[in-house]
């Protein structure tokens, strides 16, 4: 329906607290696995730190909670990873969480018969863009005055970046960060399907 908006969140308090926006997507992914609608979920999980998102293929609903929240410092092309997961697991129904650029790539790959759309359950997310891990660490050190390894979260929302490290919270407009040369990737700034 055009013009209709629904708000939702997870019933699980732990998921609500760890997720980026109330845990609706995390709750949906758990439901998809528990109900047998899909066999696996392809999503991002924090690697060594917040600057290191890693694609994972999860089949256990209890592991989905470790993927809740947003990671803005990756340069992963999820579509490539989905192709690899599908090729390694023929016939497996896979749910995938995608930002706009990844969704466009997956749709194009289905047109080219590299992916079977019937084997995919796609969940599109709004995206404010991504920042290279190196630029993010330099920005946090130089502009925020915080050691990058101490940062708990970096969130981009409504044209602002919020950095949290323990009790410290810093907030900057994306415009000011980009003026200093630490902002989003050029392709993210030009994106027409965020």
């Amino acid at each position: 329906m055009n013009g209709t908006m629904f708000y939702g969140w997870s019933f699980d308090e732990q998921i609500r607290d760890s997720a980026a926006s109330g845990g609706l997507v995390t709750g949906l992914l758990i439901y998809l696995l528990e109900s047998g609608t899909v066999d696996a979920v392809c999503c991002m999980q924090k690697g060594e730190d917040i600057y290191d998102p890693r694609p994972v293929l999860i089949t256990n609903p209890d592991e989905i909670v470790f993927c809740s929240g947003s990671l803005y410092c990756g340069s992963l092309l999820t579509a490539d990873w989905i192709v690899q997961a599908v090729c390694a697991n023929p016939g497996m129904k896979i749910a995938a969480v995608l930002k706009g650029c990844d969704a466009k790539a997956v749709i194009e790959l289905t047109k080219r018969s590299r992916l079977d759309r019937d084997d995919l359950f796609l969940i599109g997310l709004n995206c404010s863009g991504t920042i290279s891990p190196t630029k993010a660490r330099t920005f946090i050190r130089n502009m925020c005055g915080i050691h990058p390894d101490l940062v708990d979260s970096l969130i981009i929302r409504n044209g602002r970046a919020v950095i949290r490290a323990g009790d410290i919270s810093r907030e900057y407009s994306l415009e000011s960060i980009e003026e200093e040369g630490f902002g989003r990737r050029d392709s993210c700034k030009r994106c027409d399907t965020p």
Side-chain angles (χ1 to χ4, degrees):
M1 286 202 254
N2 194 9
T4 302
M5 182 183 299
F6 297 95
Y7 291 92
W9 52 89
S10 173
F11 289 114
D12 185 300
E13 188 172 331
Q14 178 188 0
I15 292 171
R16 273 196 317 272
D17 291 342
S18 65
S21 298
L24 177 68
V25 173
T26 303
L28 177 60
L29 294 174
I30 291 169
Y31 170 78
L32 291 172
L33 280 174
E34 287 179 344
S35 68
T37 304
V38 299
D39 302 307
V41 170
C42 175
C43 55
M44 295 298 143
Q45 187 175 54
K46 184 171 84 171
E48 295 295 319
D49 52 34
I50 66 165
Y51 314 101
D52 182 33
R54 297 180 180 176
V56 292
L57 192 67
I58 296 176
T59 56
N60 181 347
D62 296 334
E63 294 176 14
I64 293 292
V65 71
F66 301 113
C67 296
S68 65
S70 297
L71 298 168
Y72 294 94
C73 296
S75 57
L76 299 169
L77 293 174
T78 308
D80 290 342
W81 200 82
I82 291 170
V83 170
Q84 292 174 18
V86 168
C87 289
N89 303 284
M92 181 180 269
K93 296 270 188 203
I94 297 176
V97 179
L98 306 167
K99 53 192 186 297
C101 56
D102 292 321
K104 289 183 349 184
V106 166
I107 290 166
E108 191 60 34
L109 289 168
T110 60
K111 289 178 189 176
R112 296 176 184 201
S113 300
R114 299 252 343 258
L115 293 171
D116 184 348
R117 182 64 181 93
D118 292 336
D119 289 339
L120 299 172
F121 189 105
L122 304 177
I123 300 171
L125 299 178
N126 291 337
C127 178
S128 299
T130 61
I131 300 173
S132 91
T134 304
K135 282 188 177 184
R137 292 178 72 84
T138 305
F139 154 69
I140 289 167
R141 184 180 296 109
N142 295 354
M143 286 185 71
C144 302
I146 301 171
H147 192 287
D149 293 343
L150 301 177
V151 172
D152 300 314
S153 68
L154 183 154
I155 298 170
I156 301 172
R157 185 175 292 134
N158 299 325
R160 304 199 59 77
V162 179
I163 296 84
R164 291 195 175 95
D167 294 338
I168 300 169
S169 181
R170 303 273 196 274
E171 187 170 332
Y172 300 86
S173 71
L174 285 177
E175 185 177 289
S176 68
I177 297 168
E178 289 168 357
E179 285 173 0
E180 295 295 324
F182 299 122
R184 298 167 296 163
R185 291 178 169 79
D186 288 340
S187 57
C188 296
K189 290 186 238 179
R190 293 188 306 268
C191 180
D192 62 353
T193 54

